[in-house]
Amino acid sequence: MKKIIIANFKMNQTPAQTKEYLVKFISRFANDNIQPIICPPFTSLGIAQFITECSPIKLGAQNVGDEERGSQTGEVSAEMVRVSGAEYVIVGHSERRVKFKENNSVINKKIKNSLKQGLKCILCVGESLAEKTALKTNEVLKKQVNECIKGLYENELESLIIAYEPVWAIGTGHTATIKDVENAVKVIRKEIEDLYSEKAGRDLTVVYGGSLNSINAQRLMQAKGVDGELFGGASLDVDVFLEICNKIR
Ligand code: PGA
């Protein structure tokens, strides 16, 4: 299976900058072993769809509304995300959980709406520094996984990627160790196994994210049970991200 490499641009890149980035990325991307999924801001999805058509790159949105339509000023629905060219959507990113007060039940609604529209979800889970220090990592991960995917059928897990993103590692320069990642991935898979089946736990796609860069990406990709990686800061410079993508085996 190809390794999944996700780029989360966050609130960066105008449509013109996204266009320039993608034109360069597509012309120099050369690695059949990976599947890149680029998640620009909503406003760049249209141009990104136009440019990435007939390329190996897939697109994702960074968020989605929790209602289907209606009086939701400023929100973007799953249907709007899909017709704008995204195949994936990131849900439950810690920046949304902390800054926009999104809880597991809102995230659960977002996932259900997105799956109904045929989108695939990249669900972010991860513990804070205080929770890590209090040795609560496993407990937090289990609860987040359990509550965020409540009510999903086993076959819907094919459309789910779970990203282990420890909050203390996001944008901080502190990366998790291989041991941290392997433990988290094991806990996540076991929770899916307990909720569904052994096969579901085994087949689930799990990626790691948090302060990845061109130096540590290759190493952390070797962590047992990891199917890919999610990049924030390091994905913003197209030359750096191309170097990472073209090197990963
Ligand atoms: P970072 O962000 O790579 O800049 O730490 C990762 C993320 O927020 O998903």
Side-chain angles (χ1 to χ4, degrees), residues 123-164:
L123 166 65
C124 301
V125 295
E127 81 285 6
S128 66
L129 184 58
E131 289 161 342
K132 179 180 166 62
T133 315
L135 304 178
K136 290 204 168 134
T137 300
N138 296 2
E139 195 184 311
V140 170
L141 292 177
K142 281 188 205 170
K143 186 170 157 62
Q144 287 180 343
V145 169
N146 198 303
E147 293 182 2
C148 291
I149 66 167
K150 211 183 201 95
L152 260 58
Y153 296 106
E154 183 163 341
N155 65 347
E156 292 180 303
L157 300 180
E158 281 170 23
S159 302
L160 183 75
I161 295 173
I162 297 190
Y164 171 54

Side-chain angles (χ1 to χ4, degrees), residues 45-46 49 52 58-60 80-88 119:
L45 279 174
Q49 178 185 32
T52 54
K58 297 192 173 187
L59 295 176
M80 292 166 188
V81 164
R82 178 178 53 76
V83 300
S84 300
E87 195 177 317
Y88 292 81
L119 290 166

Side-chain angles (χ1 to χ4, degrees), residues 8 10 93 95 165 169-172 209-212 230-234:
N8 174 11
K10 307 193 181 185
H93 191 282
E95 286 155 15
E165 294 219 306
I170 294 177
T172 58
S211 292
L212 286 165
L230 198 166
F231 295 79

Side-chain angles (χ1 to χ4, degrees), residues 5-186:
I5 299 292
I6 304 162
N8 174 11
F9 284 180
K10 307 193 181 185
M11 201 168 70
N12 297 289
Q13 313 280 28
T14 63
Q17 289 165 333
T18 306
K19 177 178 169 196
E20 197 183 324
Y21 182 110
L22 288 172
V23 167
K24 190 163 183 186
F25 187 86
I26 292 168
S27 70
R28 291 186 20 215
F29 171 66
N31 188 352
D32 273 349
N33 300 316
I34 72 162
Q35 174 59 62
I37 302 171
I38 310 267
C39 306
F42 289 133
T43 45
S44 290
L45 279 174
I47 187 79
Q49 178 185 32
F50 181 70
I51 306 226
T52 54
E53 234 169 8
C54 310
S55 87
I57 288 133
K58 297 192 173 187
L59 295 176
Q62 299 171 19
N63 182 31
V64 66
D66 63 331
E67 298 288 344
E68 281 184 52
R69 66 181 62 77
S71 308
Q72 300 283 319
T73 304
E75 288 292 88
V76 174
S77 73
E79 182 185 15
M80 292 166 188
V81 164
R82 178 178 53 76
V83 300
S84 300
E87 195 177 317
Y88 292 81
V89 60
I90 298 174
V91 285
H93 191 282
S94 65
E95 286 155 15
R96 307 259 357 143
R97 290 179 187 261
V98 175
K99 199 162 177 194
F100 301 94
K101 309 278 179 281
E102 289 185 10
N103 59 26
N104 293 337
S105 112
V106 166
I107 296 163
N108 179 253
K109 275 176 83 183
K110 291 185 175 202
I111 293 178
K112 286 182 177 159
N113 278 338
S114 300
L115 293 177
K116 201 164 149 193
Q117 280 299 326
L119 290 166
K120 294 175 183 144
C121 294
I122 302 163
L123 166 65
C124 301
V125 295
E127 81 285 6
S128 66
L129 184 58
E131 289 161 342
K132 179 180 166 62
T133 315
L135 304 178
K136 290 204 168 134
T137 300
N138 296 2
E139 195 184 311
V140 170
L141 292 177
K142 281 188 205 170
K143 186 170 157 62
Q144 287 180 343
V145 169
N146 198 303
E147 293 182 2
C148 291
I149 66 167
K150 211 183 201 95
L152 260 58
Y153 296 106
E154 183 163 341
N155 65 347
E156 292 180 303
L157 300 180
E158 281 170 23
S159 302
L160 183 75
I161 295 173
I162 297 190
Y164 171 54
E165 294 219 306
V167 183
W168 49 268
I170 294 177
T172 58
H174 299 298
T175 329
T177 62
I178 294 224
K179 214 171 131 211
D180 289 329
V181 177
E182 289 183 343
N183 170 67
V185 171
K186 208 165 122 193

